[in-house]
Each structure stands twice: as structure tokens, then as C-alpha cells.
Amino acid sequence: MALKAPRGTADLYGRQAQAWNSIRQAAFDFFAGYGYQPIETPTFEQLDVFVRGIGEATDVVGKEMFLVNDKNGLDRIAAGEKPGAGEQLALRPEMTAGVCRAVVEHNLVPPDATTVKLVYAATMYRHERPQKGRMREFHQIGAECLGAAEPSADAEVIVMLMRFFKGWGIPQQSMRLLINSMGDDACRPAFRDKVRSYILEHADSLCEDCVRRADTNPLRAFDCKNAACQAVLVDAPQITDELCEDCKTHYAAVKALLDGAGLTYEEDPRLVRGLDYYTRTVFEVQVTSGLGSQNAIGGGGRYDKLIQEFGGKPTPGLGFAVGFERMLMALEAVGTADFAVAAPEVFVAAVDEDMRFEAFGLAQKLRDAGVPVELDHQRRSLKSQFKQADKSGALFVVVVGPAELAEGKVTLRTLDTREEQQMTLSELIVCLKAFYRQ
């Protein structure tokens, strides 16, 4: 039986690998213009990082994490014992918790520091039912802004994300920007109690998960995908009716800044996102075609209490994550997913076996000069090398033959016109570099 990739995972190669590299690098370059610097954290963390950061009552922690035990932990399990705190690990289901752990561990935001902005691109892991736009191993690009409490930081992050999508060719009219405020410790507890009471009053019309969430995290009921539950929750209390004055002022300022930036958005009082750490501003970007029900390509929000969960001093924060797989589908839907794998446009061909050593040396000299080059490694005839060059997409073939070599020259052939000219190595380098500067 042939071995295959695990269910819910995919191999990235060719065009998709090119897309990931291109979008990843573009994100680093684009976000750098807003002051973001790269960060990488381990693929796995102590389980407690995600339990404390994301919330034990969330589906991510309760149902979807891939747990890993080290040797000591496995030995304890075999003995009928519970693994120690540092022995039970989990593959990261998201990045924010790990980034905040790293920020506290390395004191990246000291008291007198300016705002710290971090960008990442990495794989995440969630044990979900695989479907279009939802994988068990998936790729995310994200940004975290730490130390900024002002609503201008919220607006800047949202504007940056929307401009990133627009820069890739997703028209603004093809996207929906949803925003909401989840309040803070001054107003959210009372709202949670009202939602809990509403859920219990309508328990007969709601699914088991929604009823269970009444005691664990009532606000998560708004994330339920059951259409019948959504119909019942339409009349549930809304957070925007319960915001304290500070949260109202903050939310109004964010909206005013988005208006000033010319962004169109929709207020969605039932937008809560899926993780417990959010406070105040939350947002989500959806596309109107190409993804079906899994139409969110990015989103995030503010998390002003998260750094404290890891033992740090009170530090406001906010950020977002972009799903690479979903973004790629969105680009394909609007026809801007041009990620052809680039092939070297110069092929060095040896006339015969005696010229292979010279052809190899010439290829290295051209590469040293910044010219991308391919050559034959299968002892093909000259005719077959020309065919190989055609298939590779090369524009030029540099032919190395004994007669030309005796004169210190090579032959440059343009494949589409079949035109040929002889030139020295220095002339060849000047000619090809001039072509690549066009």
C-alpha cells in the first residue's frame, strides 16, 4: 500500500509552494512598512500556553488540539499517571498565545518601550473535520501589535490588513469587513450573564453545544454554525447595547478612523471570533465568492489581558491572522492567482561529451554574475538539450563548442527566433544582465 499524506494535510509543491513563498515574503515586506519585525516560535508549546491563552472552554482547546507527550510523559501515561506540566505539549493551533509567551519570556516589551510589532508566517494544527478551506495542517500569516491601547492602533491594523488584500488584487467590493466590540471586564460579565439566561430560556430550540456553552462560555454560542441556532440567537442580547462608556468611546473612535480611511465595514453585534482572549475590537474579513461557507480569509482583534495571563505586566495588544489556503482560493476566484514557477531563462548546452566540463564551469560563472541558469545532467545529445531547454521555458541557449571555445567565445541562441551570435564571456554576461534589467 502506497503511503499518503495524513488526512487533512497537503503537500505544497510547484505552484502552491511558489504561492506560499510569494505571499509570505510579500507580507513581511508590506508589514515592514508599518514597523513590523519577524518572529518565529516553536511548532509546539507546553499545553498550558494554549489552555491559559486561548481558553479551556473553547473548541480549539477542548476538541481540536494535537497533543504531544515527551518520553517522560509517555512513561507516566503507561504507568497510569498524569504527565507533568512540562511533559504534555501541544502542536500550535494558533500563534498569538505562543508569541505572547515569547514576549513575556524575553521581556520584549519593557515598561519604557515603544510599541512592539511582530509578524509571522507558519503552519498551524487543528484536529477538525477536513473540508474546503479547512485543513488539519494549515498556514497562517499574522501580525501582533503590543503596547498600544489607543483606538488608532486598532484602525491601523485593520487598514493594513485590508490594503494587503487589496494589493494582491482582491477588489474591495469582493470583501466584507465585519467589526464589533466585545467590551471589557467592566461591561462584558453582565452581558455574558444575559446571554446565558437567554440560552437557558431557549434551550429546547438550541443544539447541545450551545446549551453546554451557557455554563462554559455563553458568547461562543454566537459562533455556532447551526442555522436553527442562528435563527434563535438573532433576538439574543447584543453587546453593543451593554458597552460601558469607555468601550463605547473606544469603539466609536475606531469606526471614525475607519471612516476617515475610506473603508466600508459592517457592524456585526454577534461577531465574537473563536478565542477567549479578545477584548473590545474584533474584526473579520470575508470574501463573497470562491470559498463557500468557509469564507473568512482573515480576522483578529484586541487582547489587552493576554500578556498578564503569562505573568507579564499589563500590556495592551491586538493582532490578526490570515489563512493562506483560503486567501489563495480567494485570489483564484478573482483571477489574480498568478504563481507560475519561475524557471531559469538561460540554458547552457554542451556540443559533445568533451565540452561538459566547460559548460559546467560557464554555468557557474553566469550564476555568479546573477544570471539564472540551467544545464543538462543526463548526458543528453545537443539536439535533446535544445528540446530540454524548450520544455524548461528558457529563452536563450548558450552553446559551448570546441571551435568557439578555441576563439574564447560561445554561441548565444534565442530560442523563439532561432537567431544566433557568437560573443566572448564578458560580452555574454553584459548582454544577459542587460536583458534581465529590462
Side-chain angles (χ1 to χ4, degrees):
M1 178 179 175
L3 296 177
K4 296 183 179 181
R7 184 168 181 254
T9 69
D11 298 309
L12 292 189
Y13 58 91
R15 177 179 168 278
Q16 283 196 321
Q18 182 68 34
W20 169 241
N21 288 336
S22 297
I23 293 175
R24 176 183 180 276
Q25 189 57 54
F28 285 159
D29 293 342
F30 183 77
F31 298 156
Y34 289 76
Y36 285 79
Q37 300 296 319
I39 186 171
E40 293 187 20
T41 63
T43 304
F44 56 89
E45 298 268 2
Q46 292 187 32
L47 175 60
D48 199 40
V49 168
F50 303 117
V51 172
R52 292 169 61 182
I54 300 173
E56 192 167 5
T58 62
D59 285 351
V60 171
V61 171
K63 300 179 180 180
E64 299 170 1
M65 283 204 301
F66 284 91
L67 301 182
V68 182
N69 291 283
D70 65 14
K71 179 63 166 58
N72 292 334
L74 290 173
D75 289 344
R76 291 182 190 274
I77 292 173
E81 302 174 4
K82 185 177 180 180
E87 297 166 348
Q88 192 159 29
L89 311 170
L91 299 182
R92 60 187 176 213
E94 59 92 59
M95 193 77 163
T96 301
V99 168
C100 288
R101 187 271 310 152
V103 165
V104 173
E105 181 175 345
H106 303 291
N107 194 29
L108 299 183
V109 191
D112 59 345
T114 57
T115 301
V116 173
K117 297 178 175 181
L118 304 168
V119 59
Y120 62 83
T123 50
M124 311 295 158
Y125 305 86
R126 295 187 188 181
H127 194 277
E128 299 182 288
R129 181 173 64 86
Q131 55 184 294
K132 182 180 181 181
R134 177 172 286 179
M135 303 287 285
R136 290 179 173 175
E137 180 186 55
F138 56 98
H139 300 73
Q140 282 188 344
I141 295 166
E144 313 293 347
C145 175
L146 297 155
E150 292 300 307
S152 57
D154 305 42
E156 180 182 84
V157 162
I158 295 171
V159 169
M160 181 176 74
L161 177 59
M162 296 301 288
R163 287 185 174 177
F164 178 68
F165 287 142
K166 186 178 179 181
W168 275 99
I170 304 177
Q172 187 161 322
Q173 62 269 24
S174 297
M175 295 184 284
R176 296 175 64 212
L177 170 60
L178 307 180
I179 65 170
N180 190 26
S181 175
M182 292 186 65
D184 60 14
D185 288 347
C187 53
R188 188 158 59 183
F191 173 64
R192 285 168 57 99
D193 289 343
K194 289 186 177 182
V195 174
R196 179 180 182 275
S197 297
Y198 183 90
I199 290 173
L200 295 177
E201 290 171 7
H202 297 80
D204 292 343
S205 303
L206 295 169
C207 70
E208 291 182 7
D209 281 343
C210 285
V211 176
R212 173 179 54 80
R213 286 166 179 156
D215 292 320
T216 56
N217 187 346
L219 303 189
R220 287 283 289 114
F222 290 118
D223 255 350
C224 182
K225 305 306 180 185
N226 187 310
C229 292
Q230 287 298 317
V232 173
L233 293 170
V234 165
D235 297 322
Q238 297 185 0
I239 182 63
T240 45
D241 296 331
E242 308 293 335
L243 295 177
C244 63
E245 288 304 314
D246 285 347
C247 287
K248 284 182 181 178
T249 301
H250 186 100
Y251 188 40
V254 172
K255 291 187 288 183
L257 289 164
L258 295 180
D259 290 336
L263 283 186
T264 301
Y265 56 84
E266 302 173 33
E267 295 186 69
D268 183 354
R270 291 188 297 277
L271 178 65
V272 296
R273 301 288 295 162
L275 309 177
D276 281 358
Y277 51 61
Y278 287 119
T279 56
R280 292 192 171 176
T281 307
V282 290
F283 56 92
E284 185 170 283
V285 183
Q286 301 176 353
V287 290
T288 56
S289 63
L291 271 72
S293 62
Q294 302 295 331
N295 62 345
I297 58 174
R302 179 168 283 280
Y303 47 84
D304 291 341
K305 299 291 184 179
L306 189 52
I307 291 293
Q308 290 171 260
E309 286 290 333
F310 295 105
K313 295 180 179 180
T315 304
L318 70 154
F320 62 78
V322 174
F324 160 71
E325 285 81 2
R326 294 189 189 182
M327 180 178 170
L328 182 57
M329 286 191 288
L331 294 176
E332 290 170 342
V334 297
T336 59
D338 183 15
F339 295 105
V341 178
E345 296 178 347
V346 177
F347 193 99
V348 174
V351 167
D352 54 34
E353 189 66 26
D354 294 337
M355 291 291 102
R356 289 190 178 277
F357 182 86
E358 301 295 340
F360 184 87
L362 175 60
Q364 309 321 309
K365 291 177 182 177
L366 290 175
R367 287 166 179 158
D368 289 343
V371 178
V373 170
E374 184 58 281
L375 73 160
D376 173 56
H377 295 289
Q378 296 174 303
R379 309 178 81 90
R380 288 183 170 95
S381 66
L382 182 60
K383 182 178 180 180
S384 294
Q385 290 178 68
F386 276 114
K387 289 181 179 179
Q388 184 184 1
D390 268 327
K391 287 182 179 180
S392 73
L395 301 179
F396 305 99
V397 174
V398 178
V399 182
V400 182
E404 296 91 339
L405 194 61
E407 298 179 11
K409 296 181 178 181
V410 294
T411 299
L412 177 65
R413 180 172 183 173
T414 305
L415 281 174
D416 60 348
T417 64
R418 306 301 181 187
E419 294 180 357
E420 293 185 353
Q421 51 183 318
Q422 290 189 357
M423 57 185 69
T424 63
L425 175 59
S426 59
E427 291 172 337
L428 176 67
I429 291 175
V430 170
C431 176
L432 293 177
K433 291 186 71 173
F435 171 80
Y436 283 104
R437 282 198 296 268
Q438 293 177 1

mmCIF file of all heavy atoms in Angstrom, residues 15-46:
data_model
loop_
_atom_site.group_PDB
_atom_site.id
_atom_site.type_symbol
_atom_site.label_atom_id
_atom_site.label_comp_id
_atom_site.label_asym_id
_atom_site.label_seq_id
_atom_site.Cartn_x
_atom_site.Cartn_y
_atom_site.Cartn_z
ATOM 1 N N ARG A 15 3.307 25.190 -8.024
ATOM 2 C CA ARG A 15 2.613 26.476 -7.977
ATOM 3 C C ARG A 15 2.197 26.854 -6.553
ATOM 4 O O ARG A 15 2.323 28.014 -6.151
ATOM 5 C CB ARG A 15 1.388 26.410 -8.886
ATOM 6 C CG ARG A 15 0.532 27.666 -8.886
ATOM 7 C CD ARG A 15 -0.642 27.496 -9.847
ATOM 8 N NE ARG A 15 -1.626 28.551 -9.660
ATOM 9 C CZ ARG A 15 -2.553 28.521 -8.709
ATOM 10 N NH1 ARG A 15 -2.619 27.505 -7.867
ATOM 11 N NH2 ARG A 15 -3.420 29.521 -8.588
ATOM 12 N N GLN A 16 1.692 25.882 -5.769
ATOM 13 C CA GLN A 16 1.250 26.206 -4.416
ATOM 14 C C GLN A 16 2.428 26.583 -3.516
ATOM 15 O O GLN A 16 2.318 27.497 -2.688
ATOM 16 C CB GLN A 16 0.483 25.035 -3.811
ATOM 17 C CG GLN A 16 -0.943 24.913 -4.335
ATOM 18 C CD GLN A 16 -1.779 24.008 -3.458
ATOM 19 O OE1 GLN A 16 -1.298 22.989 -2.972
ATOM 20 N NE2 GLN A 16 -3.040 24.361 -3.262
ATOM 21 N N ALA A 17 3.545 25.889 -3.659
ATOM 22 C CA ALA A 17 4.726 26.252 -2.886
ATOM 23 C C ALA A 17 5.217 27.648 -3.281
ATOM 24 O O ALA A 17 5.628 28.443 -2.429
ATOM 25 C CB ALA A 17 5.833 25.226 -3.096
ATOM 26 N N GLN A 18 5.150 27.944 -4.577
ATOM 27 C CA GLN A 18 5.534 29.270 -5.046
ATOM 28 C C GLN A 18 4.604 30.330 -4.466
ATOM 29 O O GLN A 18 5.045 31.414 -4.064
ATOM 30 C CB GLN A 18 5.491 29.315 -6.575
ATOM 31 C CG GLN A 18 5.924 30.643 -7.196
ATOM 32 C CD GLN A 18 7.403 30.922 -6.999
ATOM 33 O OE1 GLN A 18 8.207 29.998 -6.995
ATOM 34 N NE2 GLN A 18 7.762 32.178 -6.826
ATOM 35 N N ALA A 19 3.306 30.010 -4.400
ATOM 36 C CA ALA A 19 2.326 30.949 -3.849
ATOM 37 C C ALA A 19 2.614 31.228 -2.378
ATOM 38 O O ALA A 19 2.586 32.388 -1.936
ATOM 39 C CB ALA A 19 0.915 30.389 -4.021
ATOM 40 N N TRP A 20 2.889 30.174 -1.599
ATOM 41 C CA TRP A 20 3.178 30.359 -0.177
ATOM 42 C C TRP A 20 4.420 31.222 0.012
ATOM 43 O O TRP A 20 4.419 32.167 0.813
ATOM 44 C CB TRP A 20 3.361 29.003 0.499
ATOM 45 C CG TRP A 20 3.916 29.059 1.896
ATOM 46 C CD1 TRP A 20 5.074 28.507 2.337
ATOM 47 C CD2 TRP A 20 3.333 29.696 3.047
ATOM 48 N NE1 TRP A 20 5.258 28.748 3.683
ATOM 49 C CE2 TRP A 20 4.208 29.481 4.151
ATOM 50 C CE3 TRP A 20 2.166 30.446 3.253
ATOM 51 C CZ2 TRP A 20 3.940 29.981 5.428
ATOM 52 C CZ3 TRP A 20 1.899 30.939 4.535
ATOM 53 C CH2 TRP A 20 2.782 30.705 5.596
ATOM 54 N N ASN A 21 5.477 30.934 -0.732
ATOM 55 C CA ASN A 21 6.698 31.728 -0.604
ATOM 56 C C ASN A 21 6.468 33.178 -1.004
ATOM 57 O O ASN A 21 6.961 34.104 -0.359
ATOM 58 C CB ASN A 21 7.810 31.118 -1.462
ATOM 59 C CG ASN A 21 8.353 29.824 -0.881
ATOM 60 O OD1 ASN A 21 8.256 29.597 0.321
ATOM 61 N ND2 ASN A 21 8.914 28.968 -1.721
ATOM 62 N N SER A 22 5.701 33.383 -2.081
ATOM 63 C CA SER A 22 5.472 34.744 -2.573
ATOM 64 C C SER A 22 4.622 35.551 -1.602
ATOM 65 O O SER A 22 4.942 36.707 -1.277
ATOM 66 C CB SER A 22 4.786 34.694 -3.944
ATOM 67 O OG SER A 22 5.604 34.071 -4.908
ATOM 68 N N ILE A 23 3.519 34.960 -1.130
ATOM 69 C CA ILE A 23 2.630 35.684 -0.221
ATOM 70 C C ILE A 23 3.316 35.923 1.116
ATOM 71 O O ILE A 23 3.203 36.999 1.719
ATOM 72 C CB ILE A 23 1.305 34.913 -0.049
ATOM 73 C CG1 ILE A 23 0.536 34.910 -1.374
ATOM 74 C CG2 ILE A 23 0.449 35.531 1.045
ATOM 75 C CD1 ILE A 23 -0.731 34.073 -1.364
ATOM 76 N N ARG A 24 4.049 34.923 1.590
ATOM 77 C CA ARG A 24 4.782 35.062 2.844
ATOM 78 C C ARG A 24 5.780 36.208 2.771
ATOM 79 O O ARG A 24 5.822 37.073 3.651
ATOM 80 C CB ARG A 24 5.502 33.744 3.148
ATOM 81 C CG ARG A 24 6.399 33.737 4.367
ATOM 82 C CD ARG A 24 7.100 32.391 4.486
ATOM 83 N NE ARG A 24 7.968 32.338 5.651
ATOM 84 C CZ ARG A 24 9.216 32.802 5.691
ATOM 85 N NH1 ARG A 24 9.728 33.370 4.604
ATOM 86 N NH2 ARG A 24 9.938 32.705 6.792
ATOM 87 N N GLN A 25 6.599 36.243 1.712
ATOM 88 C CA GLN A 25 7.602 37.284 1.599
ATOM 89 C C GLN A 25 6.961 38.651 1.388
ATOM 90 O O GLN A 25 7.417 39.660 1.933
ATOM 91 C CB GLN A 25 8.560 36.979 0.443
ATOM 92 C CG GLN A 25 9.777 37.914 0.398
ATOM 93 C CD GLN A 25 10.582 37.892 1.678
ATOM 94 O OE1 GLN A 25 11.003 36.836 2.130
ATOM 95 N NE2 GLN A 25 10.791 39.070 2.285
ATOM 96 N N ALA A 26 5.881 38.685 0.617
ATOM 97 C CA ALA A 26 5.172 39.950 0.396
ATOM 98 C C ALA A 26 4.622 40.502 1.705
ATOM 99 O O ALA A 26 4.634 41.720 1.938
ATOM 100 C CB ALA A 26 4.048 39.748 -0.611
ATOM 101 N N ALA A 27 4.136 39.608 2.573
ATOM 102 C CA ALA A 27 3.614 40.053 3.871
ATOM 103 C C ALA A 27 4.728 40.658 4.717
ATOM 104 O O ALA A 27 4.554 41.731 5.311
ATOM 105 C CB ALA A 27 2.967 38.881 4.599
ATOM 106 N N PHE A 28 5.875 39.985 4.783
ATOM 107 C CA PHE A 28 6.992 40.525 5.554
ATOM 108 C C PHE A 28 7.402 41.904 5.030
ATOM 109 O O PHE A 28 7.647 42.833 5.798
ATOM 110 C CB PHE A 28 8.186 39.577 5.503
ATOM 111 C CG PHE A 28 8.033 38.348 6.355
ATOM 112 C CD1 PHE A 28 8.790 37.217 6.106
ATOM 113 C CD2 PHE A 28 7.143 38.312 7.416
ATOM 114 C CE1 PHE A 28 8.665 36.081 6.901
ATOM 115 C CE2 PHE A 28 7.009 37.185 8.214
ATOM 116 C CZ PHE A 28 7.772 36.065 7.953
ATOM 117 N N ASP A 29 7.478 42.030 3.708
ATOM 118 C CA ASP A 29 7.895 43.301 3.111
ATOM 119 C C ASP A 29 6.842 44.393 3.337
ATOM 120 O O ASP A 29 7.169 45.531 3.686
ATOM 121 C CB ASP A 29 8.140 43.117 1.609
ATOM 122 C CG ASP A 29 9.326 42.218 1.319
ATOM 123 O OD1 ASP A 29 10.154 42.004 2.227
ATOM 124 O OD2 ASP A 29 9.423 41.716 0.176
ATOM 125 N N PHE A 30 5.566 44.038 3.132
ATOM 126 C CA PHE A 30 4.494 45.032 3.255
ATOM 127 C C PHE A 30 4.320 45.486 4.697
ATOM 128 O O PHE A 30 4.244 46.683 4.992
ATOM 129 C CB PHE A 30 3.186 44.452 2.718
ATOM 130 C CG PHE A 30 2.038 45.418 2.734
ATOM 131 C CD1 PHE A 30 1.940 46.417 1.771
ATOM 132 C CD2 PHE A 30 1.059 45.346 3.714
ATOM 133 C CE1 PHE A 30 0.887 47.331 1.791
ATOM 134 C CE2 PHE A 30 0.005 46.241 3.733
ATOM 135 C CZ PHE A 30 -0.084 47.238 2.771
ATOM 136 N N PHE A 31 4.283 44.541 5.640
ATOM 137 C CA PHE A 31 4.069 44.906 7.034
ATOM 138 C C PHE A 31 5.280 45.625 7.617
ATOM 139 O O PHE A 31 5.152 46.371 8.590
ATOM 140 C CB PHE A 31 3.736 43.672 7.862
ATOM 141 C CG PHE A 31 2.453 42.976 7.446
ATOM 142 C CD1 PHE A 31 2.257 41.637 7.714
ATOM 143 C CD2 PHE A 31 1.463 43.665 6.761
ATOM 144 C CE1 PHE A 31 1.075 40.996 7.322
ATOM 145 C CE2 PHE A 31 0.292 43.045 6.364
ATOM 146 C CZ PHE A 31 0.098 41.704 6.651
ATOM 147 N N ALA A 32 6.462 45.395 7.036
ATOM 148 C CA ALA A 32 7.648 46.124 7.496
ATOM 149 C C ALA A 32 7.460 47.625 7.314
ATOM 150 O O ALA A 32 8.013 48.421 8.081
ATOM 151 C CB ALA A 32 8.886 45.647 6.744
ATOM 152 N N GLY A 33 6.676 48.011 6.316
ATOM 153 C CA GLY A 33 6.385 49.428 6.103
ATOM 154 C C GLY A 33 5.572 50.047 7.214
ATOM 155 O O GLY A 33 5.476 51.271 7.324
ATOM 156 N N TYR A 34 4.980 49.202 8.063
ATOM 157 C CA TYR A 34 4.234 49.670 9.234
ATOM 158 C C TYR A 34 5.012 49.431 10.529
ATOM 159 O O TYR A 34 4.478 49.602 11.619
ATOM 160 C CB TYR A 34 2.887 48.943 9.327
ATOM 161 C CG TYR A 34 1.891 49.341 8.261
ATOM 162 C CD1 TYR A 34 1.996 48.879 6.953
ATOM 163 C CD2 TYR A 34 0.814 50.181 8.562
ATOM 164 C CE1 TYR A 34 1.076 49.221 5.977
ATOM 165 C CE2 TYR A 34 -0.117 50.535 7.593
ATOM 166 C CZ TYR A 34 0.021 50.055 6.303
ATOM 167 O OH TYR A 34 -0.903 50.408 5.332
ATOM 168 N N GLY A 35 6.266 49.001 10.396
ATOM 169 C CA GLY A 35 7.110 48.817 11.566
ATOM 170 C C GLY A 35 7.150 47.417 12.135
ATOM 171 O O GLY A 35 7.640 47.213 13.254
ATOM 172 N N TYR A 36 6.689 46.413 11.392
ATOM 173 C CA TYR A 36 6.639 45.042 11.906
ATOM 174 C C TYR A 36 7.941 44.290 11.609
ATOM 175 O O TYR A 36 8.473 44.376 10.507
ATOM 176 C CB TYR A 36 5.450 44.286 11.312
ATOM 177 C CG TYR A 36 4.132 44.709 11.925
ATOM 178 C CD1 TYR A 36 3.510 45.887 11.533
ATOM 179 C CD2 TYR A 36 3.530 43.945 12.929
ATOM 180 C CE1 TYR A 36 2.312 46.289 12.117
ATOM 181 C CE2 TYR A 36 2.333 44.335 13.505
ATOM 182 C CZ TYR A 36 1.731 45.516 13.096
ATOM 183 O OH TYR A 36 0.548 45.920 13.675
ATOM 184 N N GLN A 37 8.392 43.544 12.618
ATOM 185 C CA GLN A 37 9.600 42.741 12.511
ATOM 186 C C GLN A 37 9.242 41.256 12.664
ATOM 187 O O GLN A 37 8.322 40.910 13.408
ATOM 188 C CB GLN A 37 10.599 43.137 13.603
ATOM 189 C CG GLN A 37 11.032 44.592 13.531
ATOM 190 C CD GLN A 37 11.786 44.906 12.247
ATOM 191 O OE1 GLN A 37 12.606 44.098 11.808
ATOM 192 N NE2 GLN A 37 11.525 46.056 11.649
ATOM 193 N N PRO A 38 9.979 40.353 11.998
ATOM 194 C CA PRO A 38 9.608 38.933 12.039
ATOM 195 C C PRO A 38 9.882 38.266 13.378
ATOM 196 O O PRO A 38 10.806 38.641 14.102
ATOM 197 C CB PRO A 38 10.470 38.315 10.931
ATOM 198 C CG PRO A 38 11.623 39.250 10.778
ATOM 199 C CD PRO A 38 11.105 40.616 11.087
ATOM 200 N N ILE A 39 9.059 37.274 13.690
ATOM 201 C CA ILE A 39 9.261 36.434 14.862
ATOM 202 C C ILE A 39 8.908 34.997 14.495
ATOM 203 O O ILE A 39 8.022 34.762 13.670
ATOM 204 C CB ILE A 39 8.402 36.901 16.069
ATOM 205 C CG1 ILE A 39 8.762 36.073 17.316
ATOM 206 C CG2 ILE A 39 6.915 36.816 15.760
ATOM 207 C CD1 ILE A 39 8.135 36.583 18.593
ATOM 208 N N GLU A 40 9.625 34.046 15.068
ATOM 209 C CA GLU A 40 9.305 32.632 14.920
ATOM 210 C C GLU A 40 9.260 32.013 16.305
ATOM 211 O O GLU A 40 10.114 32.294 17.144
ATOM 212 C CB GLU A 40 10.354 31.910 14.058
ATOM 213 C CG GLU A 40 10.356 32.356 12.606
ATOM 214 C CD GLU A 40 11.276 31.498 11.750
ATOM 215 O OE1 GLU A 40 11.590 30.371 12.188
ATOM 216 O OE2 GLU A 40 11.678 31.953 10.674
ATOM 217 N N THR A 41 8.273 31.191 16.550
ATOM 218 C CA THR A 41 8.167 30.478 17.819
ATOM 219 C C THR A 41 8.113 28.981 17.529
ATOM 220 O O THR A 41 7.878 28.580 16.388
ATOM 221 C CB THR A 41 6.912 30.897 18.599
ATOM 222 O OG1 THR A 41 5.746 30.548 17.847
ATOM 223 C CG2 THR A 41 6.915 32.400 18.877
ATOM 224 N N PRO A 42 8.320 28.121 18.543
ATOM 225 C CA PRO A 42 8.320 26.679 18.299
ATOM 226 C C PRO A 42 6.992 26.169 17.740
ATOM 227 O O PRO A 42 5.934 26.734 18.007
ATOM 228 C CB PRO A 42 8.590 26.090 19.684
ATOM 229 C CG PRO A 42 9.283 27.177 20.436
ATOM 230 C CD PRO A 42 8.686 28.447 19.937
ATOM 231 N N THR A 43 7.072 25.086 16.981
ATOM 232 C CA THR A 43 5.874 24.455 16.436
ATOM 233 C C THR A 43 5.005 23.890 17.549
ATOM 234 O O THR A 43 3.793 23.805 17.412
ATOM 235 C CB THR A 43 6.269 23.320 15.466
ATOM 236 O OG1 THR A 43 7.114 23.863 14.449
ATOM 237 C CG2 THR A 43 5.053 22.695 14.815
ATOM 238 N N PHE A 44 5.599 23.496 18.661
ATOM 239 C CA PHE A 44 4.834 23.001 19.805
ATOM 240 C C PHE A 44 5.208 23.789 21.049
ATOM 241 O O PHE A 44 6.302 24.342 21.165
ATOM 242 C CB PHE A 44 5.057 21.493 20.019
ATOM 243 C CG PHE A 44 6.490 21.089 20.181
ATOM 244 C CD1 PHE A 44 7.093 21.073 21.434
ATOM 245 C CD2 PHE A 44 7.239 20.711 19.067
ATOM 246 C CE1 PHE A 44 8.420 20.690 21.581
ATOM 247 C CE2 PHE A 44 8.566 20.321 19.213
ATOM 248 C CZ PHE A 44 9.160 20.312 20.466
ATOM 249 N N GLU A 45 4.262 23.873 21.966
ATOM 250 C CA GLU A 45 4.435 24.595 23.217
ATOM 251 C C GLU A 45 3.941 23.704 24.352
ATOM 252 O O GLU A 45 3.261 22.692 24.122
ATOM 253 C CB GLU A 45 3.598 25.893 23.217
ATOM 254 C CG GLU A 45 3.954 26.899 22.155
ATOM 255 C CD GLU A 45 4.988 27.916 22.621
ATOM 256 O OE1 GLU A 45 5.451 27.809 23.774
ATOM 257 O OE2 GLU A 45 5.319 28.820 21.832
ATOM 258 N N GLN A 46 4.242 24.096 25.574
ATOM 259 C CA GLN A 46 3.605 23.441 26.702
ATOM 260 C C GLN A 46 2.090 23.615 26.568
ATOM 261 O O GLN A 46 1.600 24.690 26.199
ATOM 262 C CB GLN A 46 4.084 24.035 28.023
ATOM 263 C CG GLN A 46 5.539 23.734 28.341
ATOM 264 C CD GLN A 46 5.935 24.197 29.731
ATOM 265 O OE1 GLN A 46 5.126 24.190 30.648
ATOM 266 N NE2 GLN A 46 7.185 24.618 29.863
#
